[in-house]
Amino acid sequence: MQNLSYVDENEGQAWLNFLEQLDRVEPYLGDLKENLDHLRRPKRSLIVNIPVKMDDGTVRHFEGFRVQHSITRGPGKGGVRFHPDVNLNEVMALAGWMTIKCAALNLPFGGAKGGVRVDPTTLSKNELERLTRRYTTEINLIIGPQKDIPAPDVGTTPQVMAWMMDTYSMNAGSTVTGVVTGKPVHLGGSLGRSKATGRGVFVTGLEAAQKIGLDIAHATVCVQGFGNVGAEAALLFHESGAKVIAVQDHTATLYHPEGINIPDLLAYQKQQGAIKGFDMVHDIDKNELWNIEADIFIPAALEGVISKEIAQKLQTKLILEGANGPTDPAADDVLNERGIVIVPDVICNAGGVTVSYFEWVQDLASYFWTEDEINHRMDVIMRKAIHDVWDRAQHANCSLRTAAYIVACERILLARRDRGLII
């Protein structure tokens, strides 16, 4: 495994995990493995200083990043994260996973990611707008509809995307809706985008459950993380007859063996801003979540939550990775040895980038589809991806994660070779 000189060992675990995942796929790539170093280093990493005038008249400086991991198969694609723990190594890993994700889904994009080290909840709306516009101006030289297309991620919203689009457009001298995705629908956003990632978790989960003979109508589900992704996935499983018996967010871990009423919980969350205090359920210790027996477990929060120790505790048949990088490589080994099927993040949560692709296409064409059309097109792409990866896993006798990396790396490295970038 090769490393980069600027990877901080204290902050770089996500990037090191990505490199280890590449190492694991190398034996399956034949003569293409000679070119795998292309994916072991980002094409471009930009660190920017973001001075912001606060409402009290003081000036604070924030650190921002934009990493383009690979643009061999098309413009970079990836979200922008506003979070106090954002660092370059994390953004590099997230950009790398986006490269693999887009290739595994066969979307015409490379991988990119951005972030600002900030707690957006501590800023006023005006401060957040000034931060967003200055960050956009600083990364303006490397983004664009044919270069790199940001999107929402943790801590960012359609409003943030609207500010980014407007700032870029002011510099361009015309309205450029295709520079970002995840915008409000009335500004060139796509119908179905806000629910797409959770829907993708559900669609791939249905396909995987069928493969292992699990009846969704009688299945039990645990969801770790009840934001946009986890909540939508939970609702769709609930509507399909499954019992969602445990839900966790940053405020509480709710458990009910007979199933939680997800529509009621969503209504409560919308009113209260969190799930803590919801009636008719048990509020248990957060660490107890890992001990609950359920057919399906959905990690839908941040990366790195399933360690080797937690993997030894989990009592489940199927893991659907709604978050990016929730399982570290050592945990992967334990889960695979225990016969627990993992639908990896690069396939499972790719509904968001798939509909982002649709949004980009609609913006370029100035022609927009109905939500039913979008959901149908997304379902077709997601189902094909999980079937391609499942078949490759069977053929190569490997895990679904390794199979997804095989499919993705072959597409990227063949494209790079045929473009003449590798001799």
Side-chain angles (χ1 to χ4, degrees):
M1 179 170 63
Q2 298 189 15
N3 202 355
L4 301 176
S5 59
Y6 49 83
V7 171
D8 185 326
E9 291 185 359
N10 295 320
E11 294 184 339
Q13 190 57 52
W15 176 252
L16 296 176
N17 287 347
F18 174 72
L19 292 181
E20 183 168 343
Q21 288 161 351
L22 291 180
D23 288 343
R24 292 182 177 211
V25 80
E26 185 172 1
Y28 300 92
L29 294 178
D31 61 352
L32 288 174
K33 68 181 179 183
E34 303 300 325
N35 304 323
L36 194 58
D37 269 357
H38 161 61
L39 297 176
R40 290 191 172 108
R41 55 199 70 242
K43 177 178 179 62
R44 184 178 291 118
S45 299
L46 181 63
I47 305 174
V48 296
N49 175 49
I50 308 166
V52 178
K53 188 173 184 179
M54 311 303 286
D55 290 344
D56 64 3
T58 62
V59 175
R60 289 180 60 189
H61 291 260
F62 300 89
E63 191 171 35
F65 311 92
R66 188 68 185 175
V67 173
Q68 294 168 351
H69 177 260
S70 172
I71 55 173
T72 297
R73 301 182 73 249
K77 189 78 191 78
V80 173
R81 178 171 292 191
F82 287 180
H83 192 274
D85 295 331
V86 164
N87 60 76
L88 176 59
N89 303 151
E90 176 192 52
V91 176
M92 285 165 47
L94 293 167
W97 285 320
M98 283 301 300
T99 297
I100 300 298
K101 184 182 298 184
C102 290
L105 271 289
N106 209 18
L107 303 178
F109 291 138
K113 205 75 177 185
V116 177
R117 188 180 296 131
V118 60
D119 181 352
T121 65
T122 65
L123 304 183
S124 70
K125 184 176 180 180
N126 288 335
E127 290 169 340
L128 184 61
E129 179 177 356
R130 291 194 288 270
L131 172 76
T132 300
R133 291 187 181 277
R134 187 58 183 253
Y135 170 69
T136 306
T137 300
E138 295 296 337
I139 67 170
N140 183 76
L141 71 164
I142 66 169
I143 63 173
Q146 301 298 338
K147 294 171 26 177
D148 182 358
I149 307 144
D153 197 82
V154 175
T156 54
T157 62
Q159 175 63 78
V160 170
M161 294 302 107
W163 289 330
M164 291 190 73
M165 185 270 284
D166 183 64
T167 305
Y168 182 89
S169 297
M170 285 192 295
N171 290 324
S174 62
T175 299
V176 186
T177 56
V179 67
V180 298
T181 59
K183 306 177 294 296
V185 172
H186 59 275
L187 289 176
S190 178
L191 296 170
R193 174 61 185 87
S194 63
K195 298 180 179 180
T197 305
R199 180 179 178 86
V201 172
F202 173 70
V203 170
T204 55
L206 286 184
E207 296 300 314
Q210 186 178 37
K211 295 282 189 183
I212 65 174
L214 176 61
D215 182 2
I216 289 295
H218 297 93
T220 52
V221 182
C222 288
V223 181
Q224 189 256 342
F226 204 64
N228 187 44
V229 178
E232 179 63 17
L235 178 63
L236 291 172
F237 276 109
H238 173 84
E239 291 176 346
S240 294
K243 289 182 180 178
V244 181
I245 61 173
V247 169
Q248 183 181 82
D249 74 355
H250 66 287
T251 67
T253 302
L254 306 182
Y255 171 67
H256 196 297
E258 297 304 314
I260 299 169
N261 188 313
I262 298 301
D264 285 356
L265 179 59
L266 287 169
Y268 178 86
Q269 182 193 45
K270 183 177 182 180
Q271 182 182 47
Q272 301 294 325
I275 66 173
K276 187 174 180 62
F278 183 66
D279 290 336
M280 307 300 292
V281 296
H282 307 289
D283 189 347
I284 61 175
D285 183 84
K286 64 180 182 179
N287 293 318
E288 287 299 309
L289 180 73
W290 312 112
N291 299 318
I292 295 173
E293 184 175 349
D295 297 311
I296 299 173
F297 186 86
I298 304 174
L302 296 174
E303 63 271 6
V305 296
I306 301 180
S307 63
K308 181 179 179 180
E309 292 71 27
I310 287 175
Q312 292 167 338
K313 297 179 182 178
L314 281 175
Q315 302 297 317
T316 190
K317 299 172 184 175
L318 180 63
I319 294 176
L320 307 177
E321 293 188 334
N324 288 313
T327 310
D328 67 37
D332 249 355
D333 292 338
V334 172
L335 294 168
N336 289 326
E337 288 170 4
R338 296 181 59 204
I340 297 172
V341 175
I342 308 166
V343 181
D345 49 1
V346 293
I347 295 293
C348 191
N349 68 27
V353 71
T354 301
V355 176
S356 285
Y357 165 56
F358 297 161
E359 181 176 335
W360 178 71
V361 169
Q362 292 171 91
D363 285 340
L364 294 181
S366 295
Y367 181 81
F368 293 86
W369 308 331
T370 67
E371 187 165 356
D372 286 343
E373 288 176 311
I374 288 162
N375 287 340
H376 172 72
R377 292 170 191 261
M378 188 197 84
D379 291 356
V380 169
I381 289 176
M382 297 291 289
R383 288 193 177 106
K384 185 178 188 311
I386 187 68
H387 284 295
D388 287 348
V389 168
W390 196 281
D391 290 346
R392 184 58 66 94
Q394 297 294 106
H395 179 74
N397 192 28
C398 64
S399 69
L400 292 180
R401 190 185 314 281
T402 299
Y405 273 69
I406 294 171
V407 171
C409 289
E410 284 180 349
R411 287 172 176 163
I412 298 161
L413 298 178
L414 280 170
R416 188 165 174 81
R417 186 180 70 184
D418 290 347
R419 287 185 59 174
L421 299 176
I422 290 179
I423 299 175

